[in-house]
Amino acid sequence: MFTRPVIETPSGLRAASVTTTIYSDSGFRTILPKLYTSHVETIFCPEPEQSLYCQLLFGLIQRDEVVMLGSLFASTVLRGLKHLESHWQEMCSDIKAGQISHRITDLGCRNAAASIMKPNPQLADLIESICNCKSWEGIVRKLWPKARYVGCICTGVMRQYTAELEFYCGGLPLVSTSYACSEATCGINLEPLCKPSDVSYTLLPNLAYFEFLPMKNDPAESIEMRSNSEDIEPVDLVHVKLGHRYELLVTTCAGLYRYKVGDVLMVTDFHNNAPQFQFVERKNVAISVDQEKTSEADLFKAVTEAKALLNPLGFILTEYTSYADTSSTPGHYVLFWELKEKEGNDCKEVDPKVMIECCSRMEESLQYTYKVYRKKNIIAALEIRVVEQGSFEALMDYYVSKGASLSQYKRPSCITSKEALKILDSRVIGKFFSPKSPV
Ligand code: AMP
């Protein structure tokens, strides 16, 4: 759980991220010590890295009481696990000595640590023996043996993290409990134990007034062929139809009127008469170099097809993003991929032939317009740039330094900022191109 400082708008209004508002609430502060191992001082620590270190450390110290771990989004949970992977030795020596590392300078965090830490060499040795192994597969279960599930949103743009999370969690269910945005809490998942790919959310009509702009229904159609939403009348929650896609509009007590959240949802089922929705994608285009438009869902599908080639080789695609490179003509799609070996960390490289095949597989899976343009050489060969481990963590750090909340961070589907591009480009360890046009 992380917060950002409250800011003041030019007209004098106080503005905060939704999570900061929740964690500031007196009701939350009352239940916090009863339900969570994280202390309020660590949640309000202005240094995200120090906050993360302390929350992980406190979770380890109280490992026998932990029945659930998580964060709002899957990306933050993974960030936490990676932080643990690189700092467990330091944490073990803190636990052994009963004192927090001098690196943690935030006074609130130090005071919170002083209130719960005492020397515990047995616990330190036990954690050391668990962490000091070749593969971290299933580590969450070993470190927190009483944990029953990992709670974090694994749908939408977070789907890409499920494979790696499953690797660390060793069979613990990943539970996406709710669908919410800064503008409104929208729905809950009534089947928390279902697979992340099957999750649907039931929208609760008492949380906001929900309306739905119908989208053209055929997912095979490219975005530019879908209707212009300005000409379409929204429908109410009671009038949505099974299998149809809609853009969500919310009207709230706070004063938003038919606000376009920017999400596309599909009706998958009904709970009694309440429609249930699967999150499809963020509306609008993820990447485009010419007239073709590739959505987030199109991109995800293509990446899923391609990364299937890596699984038998013992590699996991941990993160990806895209970039429309139009610096030369014709422009082309660039995919940044961060890979990880399931066993060990010796960073063996994937056979270049397989990476080239991944480029082809992606192109084959992209939508019709892309393929036509590619055949006509209006778009050049798709490129995958493999980046070194930790590159996406550096990207996250960059966005957090620019004001994003670590609790609400979402990796962009397509990079548009020059600085963000520089961060990834400076960490490229291999470039691969599709050898031929897709059929
Ligand atoms: P924020 O801007 O931090 O308020 O994030 C809200 C956005 O996060 C939503 O509009 C969605 O795009 C995404 N989001 C929130 N909850 C979910 C969920 N359960 N599944 C998929 N995406 C989600």
Side-chain angles (χ1 to χ4, degrees):
M1 292 178 272
F2 304 91
T3 51
R4 298 287 312 166
V6 176
I7 54 159
E8 198 166 285
T9 67
S11 61
L13 294 173
R14 280 159 52 81
S17 72
V18 65
T19 38
T20 302
T21 311
I22 294 169
Y23 304 147
S24 305
D25 182 73
S26 60
F28 179 80
R29 282 170 181 248
T30 314
I31 58 159
L32 184 70
K34 295 179 194 139
L35 292 184
Y36 296 99
T37 56
S38 296
H39 284 212
V40 71
E41 296 86 348
T42 61
I43 297 172
F44 280 86
C45 167
E47 294 294 331
E49 288 289 310
Q50 296 195 20
S51 166
L52 182 56
Y53 182 91
C54 294
Q55 294 189 54
L56 289 164
L57 178 67
F58 292 9
L60 286 177
I61 291 171
Q62 298 162 82
R63 69 192 281 269
D64 284 334
E65 291 165 54
V66 173
V67 289
M68 169 270 189
L69 56 143
S71 188
L72 194 55
F73 290 111
S75 52
T76 320
V77 177
L78 261 186
R79 175 66 191 253
L81 290 169
K82 287 179 180 168
H83 193 82
L84 190 58
E85 210 166 356
S86 43
H87 291 88
W88 61 267
Q89 277 132 326
E90 191 179 359
M91 291 182 192
C92 285
S93 63
D94 287 0
I95 296 171
K96 195 169 274 177
Q99 270 180 5
I100 197 153
S101 160
H102 290 299
R103 223 170 35 80
I104 305 302
T105 50
D106 180 76
L107 213 58
C109 286
R110 294 200 71 82
N111 288 340
S115 72
I116 62 158
M117 291 183 79
K118 51 179 189 300
N120 192 341
Q122 288 95 329
L123 179 63
D125 288 347
L126 179 62
I127 294 172
E128 197 173 325
S129 68
I130 295 171
C131 293
N132 198 5
C133 57
K134 196 161 174 246
S135 167
W136 265 40
E137 189 160 8
I139 196 82
V140 171
R141 269 213 139 119
K142 295 177 199 158
L143 286 175
W144 290 283
K146 291 188 183 154
R148 289 289 161 267
Y149 72 99
V150 175
C152 56
I153 290 169
C154 290
T155 45
V157 70
M158 299 293 148
R159 281 181 298 185
Q160 61 163 310
Y161 301 111
T162 47
E164 199 182 6
L165 265 184
E166 278 163 357
F167 168 83
Y168 283 114
C169 294
L172 274 183
L174 301 177
V175 177
S176 304
T177 50
S178 58
Y179 165 49
C181 51
S182 299
E183 295 76 20
T185 302
C186 306
I188 53 170
N189 173 5
L190 293 175
E191 283 182 53
L193 293 180
C194 73
K195 285 205 305 244
S197 52
D198 295 338
V199 170
S200 286
Y201 300 97
T202 308
L203 264 58
L204 305 183
N206 53 339
L207 294 176
Y209 192 76
F210 298 113
E211 290 173 286
F212 302 85
L213 273 180
M215 312 265 309
K216 264 223 174 153
N217 201 30
D218 184 356
E221 265 176 326
S222 60
I223 291 180
E224 69 263 38
M225 291 158 81
R226 291 177 195 160
S227 304
N228 180 353
S229 61
E230 302 303 323
D231 312 331
I232 311 173
E233 275 299 301
V235 296
D236 283 325
L237 191 59
V238 287
H239 291 125
V240 297
K241 294 189 186 128
L242 190 67
H244 286 232
R245 290 168 181 233
Y246 301 90
E247 183 185 354
L248 179 67
L249 308 182
V250 294
T251 299
T252 66
C253 299
L256 294 174
Y257 177 69
R258 289 191 164 171
Y259 180 88
K260 290 181 174 174
V261 170
D263 294 341
V264 178
L265 310 176
M266 183 171 77
V267 183
T268 48
D269 208 345
F270 288 85
H271 175 79
N272 298 325
N273 287 328
Q276 298 183 299
F277 297 86
Q278 202 165 61
F279 186 96
V280 179
E281 62 190 351
R282 290 287 296 168
K283 191 162 177 263
N284 296 330
V285 176
I287 180 169
S288 164
V289 298
D290 201 273
Q291 303 270 308
E292 97 300 348
K293 296 181 178 73
T294 298
S295 71
E296 220 169 58
D298 294 335
L299 203 60
F300 177 77
K301 182 174 150 274
V303 170
T304 306
E305 297 274 332
K307 74 174 185 183
L309 294 170
L310 301 176
N311 292 340
L313 307 176
F315 283 87
I316 304 176
L317 172 66
T318 57
E319 298 233 28
Y320 72 88
T321 188
S322 64
Y323 166 63
D325 187 347
T326 49
S327 58
S328 54
T329 317
H332 71 291
Y333 284 18
V334 176
L335 271 294
F336 289 98
W337 279 21
E338 187 174 320
L339 303 173
K340 177 191 171 87
E341 248 189 298
K342 282 188 199 163
E343 289 285 327
N345 268 327
D346 46 353
C347 298
K348 226 175 62 196
E349 278 172 20
V350 182
D351 180 352
K353 277 192 220 128
V354 177
M355 288 308 303
I356 291 169
E357 184 55 30
C358 287
C359 297
S360 283
R361 186 75 73 91
M362 276 208 67
E363 289 202 313
E364 295 291 347
S365 316
L366 287 169
Q367 27 85 7
Y368 176 76
T369 330
Y370 175 89
K371 291 194 220 176
V372 172
Y373 284 12
R374 175 80 172 92
K375 264 181 229 156
K376 292 184 176 165
N377 204 28
I378 297 170
I379 300 178
L382 180 143
E383 176 185 0
I384 293 179
R385 294 184 191 162
V386 178
V387 289
E388 64 193 30
Q389 283 195 24
S391 301
F392 279 83
E393 242 173 83
L395 188 70
M396 192 189 227
D397 288 341
Y398 166 73
Y399 283 110
V400 169
S401 77
K402 290 277 162 204
S405 153
L406 197 49
S407 282
Q408 288 174 242
Y409 172 78
K410 292 160 215 83
R411 185 255 323 140
S413 297
C414 182
I415 298 284
T416 49
S417 125
K418 277 198 181 124
E419 289 100 293
L421 184 64
K422 232 194 247 167
I423 291 170
L424 292 180
D425 259 340
S426 62
R427 292 169 169 82
V428 170
I429 49 176
K431 293 184 177 188
F432 307 91
F433 290 87
S434 170
K436 57 181 188 323
S437 291
V439 272

